[in-house]
Amino acid sequence: VFKLTHQYHHRSTMDPSSSSKLSDIGEGIMEVTVKEWYVKEGDKVSQFDSICEVQSDKASVTITSRYDGVIRKLYYDVDATALVGKPLVDIETEASDVVETPAMAREEHTHQEIKGHKTQATPAVRRLAMENNIKLSEVVGSGKDGRILKEDILNFLSKQTGAILPPAPFQDIRTPAAMVSRPGPAGPTGPRPVFTGKDRMEPLKGFHRAMVKTMTAALQIPHFGYCDEVDLSQLVQLRSDLKSTSEGRGVKLSYMPFFIKAASLGLLHFPILNASVDEGCQNITYKASHNVGVAMDTSQGLLVPNVKNVQLLSVFDIAQELNRLQTLGAAGQLGAADLSGGTFTLSNIGSIGGTYAKPVILPPEVAIGALGKIQVLPRFDPSGQVVRAHIMAVSWSADHRIIDGATMCRFSNLWKDYLENPARMVLDLK
Amino acid sequence: MMSNVRRMVSLFKGVCRTRTCPVHTWTSGAGLVLQSRSTDVFQNLALEDWIEANVDLRQRGVLLLWRNRPAVVIGRHQNPWTECDLQAATKAGIHVARRRSGGGTVFHDLGNLNLTFFTSKKNYDRRRNLKMITDALRRVRPELDVQATDRLDIVLNGHLKISGTASRLRRDSSYHHCTLLHSADRSALSAVLRPSTSGIHSNATPSVPSPVANLVDHAPTLQWEELLEALVDQYNEEFGCTSALTSIDPSDEASFPGIGLFVSELSSWEWTFGKTPKFSVRTVLDLSEHRSAQLHLEVKNGLVASCQVLVPPDWIPQSLADQLSQVLVGERFCRHGAAAAAVSTLLRLDGTGGRLEELSKAVLRAMG
């Protein structure tokens, strides 16, 4: 026996919206708190899309749309109390002749068996079937009591045409926030962002705003550049010898710890490169600590954490610190302490690519070095033979108000000497 | 959808085939009792999502038993910054997760058993589920005075809470899950279940603290396996099934296709922190020389929506404090990461002899 007491209304095109009432949650609950809206007025929704999240008595309930249509009115704000059985949203439906009113629909499905050929489907589903020349009687309904749902029509179609459609179970699993294309790890099948070919403008906020300010100030500094190439053949050998020892202690050893330590040894002889001038260039402060900044490419952009007090650290200590900073950087978890207080910076842009560069000094520092990639190139040895050499380019920039070319050149030569002859570093290690 | 159910059913040999039955009871074999082998909170929460999405609950119910390594699990609409000290949790290696169901914050560890009752919306009956648990407990230890309360807790001796409940309802499925304290380590809790920062004003669901107890404190001989067995037996009796306890591995993508996506979503920042209802932070920042500044932040979707720092006019110019506020807007409410990067970049231009730096660090400390 087919017991159904729907009320069918004929709606005129003058009044296409229908109020969707908050349906029964169960357990005799009469009111709930609206916690989050997934739609706003003007949004298009499909039947079974999530509309909002309500909470009652430790139960979190997702309310879904009964119709396809456009949201015309939300009856409650977030944190307001919504009443069961009273209007929740107004949805303007596309179909204008026959509309089911929702109130009685659920209860009537409890004690039924469907016999005969009357198939359950909403007007939207019927229309979809009609548009695609599908007989409802040929479709297997997966909804309650064999009701035919939109997914069933789509599945039927895909079998016919061989089209690949997103798997049905996932269609309303993800919360709508994930379905609107937010950049994030949980973005599987779902509406792709449509390329509209329009320009997009957004205000510069947060970190980018800070960068604009700082870089504008940085380029007020008169920069001069000085470049050279360094033969790292002996360092390559040394690092290869030490790699396994370091890894045995749980630390990855790259070339950077050597570059950083050599820079610190150089700064001991040329402390003006580790200084700072005040605004207006009235006073110069020679910084005691060598806090060497290392430019890092992270998900947030280019960040420059620094290794504190390099003058007190061994190459291994530096390697360990670098590992820690790299791990934090990769996780987007670098703190203010690690990111501030730098006195001198090295940028290993060569790890991404490039040879020579024109680095920009990061205030309040007065010098910066950019390291190109290490290339194996032919060079002449002392006896005139052509040998394979590991060559790296370095590009220095310095604040020309207080640093002259000769100082930069001598510092660079000393740094280069340590790296080309690592044994000399051992003599001068503090 | 149907092929996933068939695959899952084929995993569980020994479960009787379902027969059609009146909707309000299930005949024998029409229930499944599963035990998760994972102790990872994100995998287990993802498993709940997967079961809800892929198993047809109209003909059968499912009981899932699971437990996690130490984790703080907040309710769907709660604020992780008020519920938990995030820095302390990270230090201790304790995960913080937001579940899909409502209710308050709980602390999971290996001594806490979680039970999830999956049913169709029609068969959603939390009191019946709790009765099943109290009946099971009384069966194995008749001396235990256990009772379900109006608030859907289970209490021992009238006042000691041993179980809390939460649930989730969707279009045509539901689940009710609850904790059961067998032998949880309560000392690890206290260091972590306190706010990350002071001055938060929010309308998020608060947690209601209650005195708790472990079952082993009152029934010292009750073993974990004995408890599980009693619960399975009682479930079968209450719901008319003959299901054996079946062990499953939620990290097996082949058996649970698509579960990896649920794990990604549940462990993402956007879900755990971005879903926090909007809140504000109002606090006084102590500075050196007995000075202080006022901080007012609004946080929406876990991001700083607006920020105002009021400083004494003779300490540093208000315009500098405003610059600091501006570089925080749009970044995550977190003292590390983008906010720290923004602040450090701005501090490169600090000509205040360290005062802006002091202020900046105080503001960052007030963030989660």
Side-chain angles (χ1 to χ4, degrees), chain B residues 13 29 37 43 54 58 65 90 97 141 167 198 200-201 203 211 213 222 232 243 258 281 299 312 324 364:
Chain B
K13 301 172 189 134
R37 287 205 284 275
Q43 275 184 358
N54 291 286
R58 287 171 299 170
L65 301 172
T90 314
R141 294 289 184 277
S167 55
S198 60
I200 295 184
H201 300 260
N203 286 331
L222 179 63
V232 174
S243 175
V281 177
V299 182
L324 172 62
L364 286 175

Side-chain angles (χ1 to χ4, degrees), chain A residues 44 89 122 127 191 204 223 235 272 313 346 383 393 413 429:
Chain A
K44 271 186 91 165
V89 287
T122 65
R127 198 190 26 195
L204 276 177
H223 284 52
L235 184 65
I272 198 166
L313 300 179
L346 287 176
S383 66
N413 286 345
L429 275 174

Side-chain angles (χ1 to χ4, degrees), chain A residues 252-300:
Chain A
K252 271 186 70 171
L253 184 68
S254 64
Y255 294 108
M256 277 307 277
F258 297 99
F259 299 152
I260 293 169
K261 189 59 184 173
S264 173
L265 292 174
L267 291 173
L268 290 172
H269 293 271
F270 299 96
I272 198 166
L273 291 162
N274 197 56
S276 190
V277 279
D278 57 9
E279 209 174 319
C281 242
Q282 299 283 327
N283 296 297
I284 180 169
T285 309
Y286 295 88
K287 299 282 170 92
S289 302
H290 299 169
N291 297 339
V292 179
V294 180
M296 247 178 222
D297 184 31
T298 69
S299 51
Q300 250 123 40

Side-chain angles (χ1 to χ4, degrees), chain A residues 203-272:
Chain A
L204 276 177
K205 292 190 296 197
F207 172 59
H208 297 288
R209 196 168 171 144
M211 277 298 271
V212 168
K213 259 193 129 41
T214 302
M215 283 299 128
T216 308
L219 285 173
Q220 303 293 318
I221 303 170
H223 284 52
F224 84 89
Y226 175 86
C227 302
D228 201 354
E229 63 171 46
V230 187
D231 185 341
L232 295 179
S233 306
Q234 287 193 37
L235 184 65
V236 167
Q237 184 60 55
L238 178 64
R239 177 190 163 245
S240 144
D241 293 341
L242 293 174
K243 234 177 94 140
S244 51
T245 310
S246 178
E247 269 158 30
R249 296 185 200 170
V251 171
K252 271 186 70 171
L253 184 68
S254 64
Y255 294 108
M256 277 307 277
F258 297 99
F259 299 152
I260 293 169
K261 189 59 184 173
S264 173
L265 292 174
L267 291 173
L268 290 172
H269 293 271
F270 299 96
I272 198 166

